[in-house]
């Protein structure tokens, strides 16, 4: 049984995981995306005359049915610091001579790994955005029904003056709406193909690199972009966006946890939150989780931005740091949205009497 | 002599400080901005009929000439956790009866402090953007002259293949160009007025709050916005942007420090970097500083995003955390741009022989 | 296939994981430790006369053979924010009437979860300490053989003056020796039993709480301690220690990566580090990984110390944050030691000529 | 008027600063400590026969009366990345020929800067420890008077069961007691002299380096130690300790802020905490500040541990990062202790009725 990280933990993943997002990010999805890259690259290179037409067909066909041997890949990743050499070797064996030599033509590890990331993000982002949209809609619904209810505003942890549920809801809704706008802005920068060749100058594509990158992007449904091997700002920007979302949800969670204090009773939540020792209690689990997830993501964001210092043309150290951090940030944000939806679905304001 | 923080340190500010940005952010600038807020608020409220016309004139006149007593303000901030109560009291004394009661009408501490922040950011951002523009231009210039020079690309700290200075410069330039685009996107969200009244519902403005906020924004040259007392996403977004800039510069700094290694000799820098023990050395100070500043800002970003969990209608704890972090992040970014400019001004590539 | 976190990732765990430590930390180990707690608690409570002698025997016997249903526990954890209610319910069912009611007598979730943590740490720490000892020994060995070799010292990324391999080795060895000393100091604070009852006052143990805690500690091979439910300093201290270790290894990794630059050639490493595009390269993977792991742990440490703000008598939010962070910090440190051992085993200094 | 950082801010330093600690850390104190180092070094070197007896006397005399020109030092620090070259040059001018050449004999920048740090820490630590002791004593006093008062325990933000003020106080006191024990443990590692010479091998002291380091340590009231230029674990350990203290105080602050909620009324604080808009409010400023300071220090700790990756024999980048972070961490901790003392002095528990 695995389980040092909460997201894939056999028990804790019920709390911290996300069954919709996890399969879009996991090793299987990554391998599928890597094969999609190699397949589309071969086809684009065949079209451009960089590799034989036959090789393009054969490689694409092999990619469609290729199931790599995981232990071999694991061993390769441990040895080479990245799975790509072992992966390409195995794929070449599947493609067989004489076309095997044309697999991964002109490309480098970072091309396939980074494109496999953005390909998966292309699937993840609509899910996250849809959850944001849904949550915003849910807050609007609550507001329509209960926006006029009087609540007590608290500033600096003290009772201030009465205000309304609509004011409270605005604090939860508006940051999420702005996050949706931000996502629309950053998406064209993020969902781009990576194609640079060994040192990021596209020289290995014999003068056809820019055209190839454009064609490859088209085939993969990504945006074309200049080489970004050593330019990690769009990754770091995305991490910050994730933390903005989870932080905004954390604010909502903290509000709800405070309002749900028995001494306040300003909000009623659904069931759940049992205690092993005190059966009379009903703990605001989802609200607490939102705070936890916000603080975790904020901490990880600090680590991710360290990876901006990506030395030279490819930094094994900085790049690997992204691998450790970014998937967790996505899962954290997704779990937050899941908990926020559950919270919002069951939340009822108790008006000030 | 003060000096626990490097930015204002009598000695180290030469290295870490920024003489152009510091006066735009310091206590004096903040007080000026606070007075601009109170003055414009009074004028707008007089126009709206919320306070007497005479009071508006008198308050604006008083704000123009008001020099607060700093020790009194310091004492007030220590007592109240925010300078505003002492500041308003002092300003009311300057305005004198009968108009004194109309000072700060309907507003709350967060309105004046947050607007005084965005007012200063409105001055800071063009300076930073101008430096970015200048740096981008400098990289283009170097590229025009020396873009074809052959350099050795390094991946994973090892010699890879030759490429050109233009490829190296692209890694330094493109993230900064994207940061300029991002700044244009976030600026309308950031440079907004804050006007919410005690609990952020604008009720204290007797139904005229939205119109007043719009008028106030116009007078101050800011964008109008819904109340954002407890919505800190635009602040956190800006912090992330600052770290994107300093991180991108940190990558350049790390590259230059590596290229300037004697064993590499791929770059010639100007003078400077003396050693107290080894006169033969010339240390790449500016390049190192870029790395330092990038790592510092990345760390602070993690702290700033903790402040997204801003409980209730105003969190003293989370708000104060922003005060500790954000000005430093701005100074760090500004110092980075200053060092990057100096570095770029003197940098010469030594072609691969 | 799971795999959003690198430690348990089907492919990347070869690089980031640790096959010796992972099974000491995973869900299965946690359940075993939880059963050890409940078993020892029942025996101690039977001895103290708090529960019937028969119940103690029966519970201990049931714990010995109990295999919980994981999906049930996962569902419970998702609902209650902690696995304990579902776990205790399932264990009670296994114990059966009339003894079932005596399971977990007087204890609370945090007692079992926190003790299950320290029980696993008790197994993890000797492994880590042994690796530290071994690494220190390896550096001593290298020093005995090659300590006199002249190397070039570099300060501020520039050639400074010649010094010796012994000087370099001291920089890698001494921090680890100090970390061993620190571990000896903190261990008695960390490897303690947690027993507080619902609100941490041991009242549920009817005046026998202190004696019970001492007996329980003895049975479990832990130190006794006052209740520490809401006092997380020893956890945070341990996290800092982990980061000290991985940071000290990160310094070594950065040194080696720099010395292994082709332009330096100051060190020869073993094989490995293949490139998918450049067969001539040999990348210093282990050295890079040490830097990655150091930076990751430093970032996580910032998150872990946020959990010191553990509100009230038990904070779901802060406690859960520890669960997200601490196991990863341990794995990161362990992986670093593994890579450092591999690096040290194959490292040869190339003397300055 | 300066003021980008809160600690030295003309207004906010009342809230965030510490008038007792600031002068022990500031630029003036640093220069005094640097002169103490150079003076003691010269005397020790004269004793050891490394420099003429006369030179030792003359240098010590010059150090006693030397007042450096700050603008010159600032310019030097900006140029060289460290103040030492300019400082030594100025000190040599004050010493005058023929003894001037013997100033700073065999030493390097890091020797004087790092020793000047530990010399100041030697003054700071007793103040901090004394505050800890005093705070622990205050909690004991409150406990003696009011320990039996019944309070409501809260777990997961919900009412749990009654317990006593003594239980609450234990959560605040015990971590501080452990921090005192930790300080005693780490102090001998931290309060050490730094003497390594240009590349940290003490070769510049002609075989007398170890003896010299011991003599120097004795003269300065520090512990002797092997060269630690590139071994930053003791600095990082100290940073973690500071964050343990401020985090433990943050827990207390969060507790008090929650107990002081009007809906709870479990604690009465003294006066203070005025609002600019709501005169009826009394905000728990000191309690909030403890949370702010805890979160800030936790964030900075993440940045400080990045500096463990101190490449080669001296890293300008990593060393400068410490300068940015460590003084702030000390000030943050000191301010926290100041606020905690004020809070504890005025705090009264309101028993559960």
């Amino acid at each position: 049984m695995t389980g040092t990280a909460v997201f894939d933990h056999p028990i804790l993943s019920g709390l911290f995981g996300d069954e919709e997002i996890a399969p879009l990010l996991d090793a299987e999805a990554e391998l599928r995306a890597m094969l999609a890259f190699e397949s589309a690259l071969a086809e684009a290179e065949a079209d451009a005359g960089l590799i034989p037409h036959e090789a393009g067909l054969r490689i694409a066909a092999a990619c469609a049915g290729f199931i790599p041997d995981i232990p071999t890949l694991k061993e390769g990743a441990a040895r080479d610091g990245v799975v790509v050499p072992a992966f390409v070797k195995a794929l070449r064996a599947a493609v067989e001579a004489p076309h095997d030599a044309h697999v991964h033509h002109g490309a480098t590890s970072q091309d396939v790994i980074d494109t496999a990331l953005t390909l998966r993000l292309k699937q993840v982002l609509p899910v996250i955005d849809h959850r944001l949209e849904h949550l915003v809609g849910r807050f609007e619904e609550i507001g329509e029904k209960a926006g006029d209810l009087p609540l007590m505003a608290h500033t600096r942890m003290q009772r201030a003056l009465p205000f309304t549920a609509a004011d409270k809801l605005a604090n939860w809704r508006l940051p999420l709406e702005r996050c949706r706008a931000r996502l629309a802005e950053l998406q064209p920068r993020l969902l781009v193909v990576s194609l640079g060749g060994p040192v990021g100058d596209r020289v290995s594509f014999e003068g056809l690199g820019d055209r190839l990158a454009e064609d490859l992007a088209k085939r993969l449904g990504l945006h074309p972009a200049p080489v970004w091997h050593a330019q990690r700002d769009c990754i770091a920007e995305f991490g910050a966006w994730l933390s903005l979302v989870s932080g905004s949800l954390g604010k909502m969670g903290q509000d709800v946890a405070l309002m749900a204090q028995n001494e306040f009773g300003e909000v009623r939540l659904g069931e759940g939150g049992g205690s092993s020792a005190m059966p009379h209690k009903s703990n605001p689990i989802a609200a607490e989780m939102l705070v936890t997830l916000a603080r975790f993501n904020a901490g990880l964001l600090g680590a991710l931005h360290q990876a901006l210092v990506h030395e030279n043309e490819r930094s094994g150290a900085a790049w690997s740091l992204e691998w450790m951090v970014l998937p967790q940030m996505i899962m954290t944000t997704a779990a937050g949205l899941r908990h926020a939806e559950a919270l919002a679905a069951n939340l009822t304001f108790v008006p000030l009497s």
Side-chain angles (χ1 to χ4, degrees), chain A:
Chain A
M1 236 189 311
T2 60
T4 44
V6 291
F7 308 108
D8 307 317
H9 193 281
I11 296 168
L12 293 175
S13 58
L15 195 55
F16 295 96
D18 191 294
E19 292 185 5
E20 189 180 17
I21 295 292
L24 302 178
L25 285 177
D26 69 10
E28 202 172 335
E30 180 163 20
L31 289 171
R32 267 198 316 274
M34 291 170 71
L35 289 167
F37 171 89
E38 298 292 354
S39 176
L41 178 68
E43 291 177 326
E45 290 182 329
D47 259 25
L50 283 164
I51 66 170
H53 185 65
E54 284 300 301
L57 290 175
R58 174 70 199 126
I59 293 169
C63 285
F66 182 60
I67 297 175
D69 179 58
I70 300 298
T72 305
L73 297 189
K74 182 176 167 179
E75 198 186 351
R79 182 184 58 240
D80 301 324
V82 62
V83 74
V84 179
F87 168 81
V88 167
K89 188 178 169 195
L91 181 57
R92 282 188 173 140
V95 167
E96 294 179 343
H99 301 306
D100 55 352
H102 301 297
V103 168
H104 193 64
H105 173 79
T108 194
S109 295
Q110 216 167 356
D111 295 331
V112 55
I113 294 289
D114 281 348
T115 303
L117 172 63
T118 57
L119 275 173
R120 283 173 295 153
L121 293 182
K122 193 174 151 253
Q123 296 194 279
V124 165
L125 294 192
V127 178
I128 290 186
D129 191 41
H130 181 259
R131 291 190 191 179
L132 282 169
E133 184 184 19
H134 186 263
L135 201 50
V136 165
R138 176 67 191 137
F139 291 144
E140 285 169 343
E141 266 173 49
I142 302 178
E144 278 159 29
K145 276 192 260 174
D148 292 337
L149 290 184
L151 297 175
M152 176 54 68
H154 293 80
T155 57
R156 292 183 169 270
M157 304 288 279
Q158 294 287 299
R159 289 170 77 93
L161 294 169
F163 73 154
T164 67
D167 300 315
K168 182 68 87 171
L169 287 163
N171 284 337
W172 301 346
R173 195 187 73 242
L174 291 173
L176 301 185
E177 287 186 1
R178 284 190 290 266
C179 282
R180 294 195 68 207
R182 289 176 186 113
L183 183 59
E185 290 166 2
L186 70 83
Q187 210 156 265
R189 287 189 286 266
L190 180 66
L191 298 184
V192 294
V193 80
S194 177
L195 190 72
V199 296
D201 59 2
R202 293 182 175 165
V203 162
S204 55
F205 305 111
E206 304 166 40
L208 300 172
D210 293 354
R211 177 186 141 185
L212 192 67
E214 219 157 305
D215 186 19
L216 181 62
K218 205 170 176 179
R219 287 169 190 271
L220 293 170
L222 296 170
H223 298 272
V227 180
W228 55 283
H229 287 173
Q231 304 165 29
R232 313 308 292 182
D233 54 305
C234 297
I235 299 294
E237 177 188 26
F238 177 51
W241 182 83
L242 291 167
S243 177
L244 281 186
V245 173
S246 56
S248 299
L249 298 177
K251 185 267 184 291
M252 176 202 171
Q254 188 66 79
D255 280 3
V256 171
L258 288 165
M259 297 172 85
Q261 291 174 109
N262 310 100
E263 293 83 352
F264 281 59
E266 297 185 334
V267 80
R268 267 196 301 271
L269 310 174
E271 51 183 33
S275 155
S276 76
M278 295 170 283
H280 64 280
K281 290 191 62 191
S282 171
N283 296 315
I285 301 303
E288 287 179 312
M289 279 303 297
L290 292 180
V291 175
T292 303
L293 295 165
R295 299 212 178 281
F296 184 65
N297 243 2
L300 285 186
L301 179 59
L304 184 66
H305 274 232
Q306 296 291 344
L308 284 164
V309 185
H310 189 109
E311 85 275 354
N312 293 332
E313 281 58 71
R314 175 156 47 261
S315 164
W319 194 28
S320 306
L321 184 53
E322 294 178 11
W323 306 349
M324 300 189 82
V325 176
L326 193 66
Q328 297 199 45
M329 293 193 75
I330 298 168
M331 288 300 290
T332 298
T333 308
L337 285 163
R338 187 170 61 76
H339 283 291
E341 280 182 23
L343 201 56
N346 296 304
L347 180 145
T348 321
F349 291 113
V350 180
L352 194 63
S353 55

